[in-house]
Amino acid sequence: MTIQPVPAFEPPYVMAVFSNVRTPDDTGYPETLARMNEIVRGNPGFLGYESARTPGGLGITVAYFRDHESLALWRQDLEHQAAMKQGRADWYESYTLHVATVERSHGFARND
């Protein structure tokens, strides 16, 4: 499988950038992450996401949505709200969420 970034979409669209530092407690995290991925993919306005973690422990996930309404549906999902609450209680030392409207987007892929 070739690793590729999420493709460029026709603007405008919305991105949510979730930067975080995790705690050592992983209890239930992998299962919850899998469930959150399943739920968000059912959102008709969800476009995709990219996620990375530095060796020092900073994690960054960028999720893309067609519009602010689609992002609001994700934010209001009851299972997602429960996961956010558990994240604050158990899984994150700290986090920051930035939401922005993308005004320009383009991409490149080598065709070798």
Side-chain angles (χ1 to χ4, degrees), residues 28-79:
Y29 184 83
E31 297 83 4
T32 301
L33 180 60
R35 178 64 182 145
M36 293 303 101
N37 282 326
E38 181 182 334
I39 293 170
V40 76
R41 290 178 192 286
N43 181 324
F46 176 69
L47 301 173
Y49 77 96
E50 299 160 318
S51 191
R53 186 160 297 279
T54 69
L58 177 67
I60 301 173
T61 297
V62 183
Y64 303 95
F65 293 85
R66 176 51 44 212
D67 48 37
H68 286 280
E69 292 77 19
S70 299
L71 177 58
L73 283 174
W74 172 234
R75 185 179 60 248
Q76 294 164 5
D77 180 90
L78 294 179
E79 283 186 74

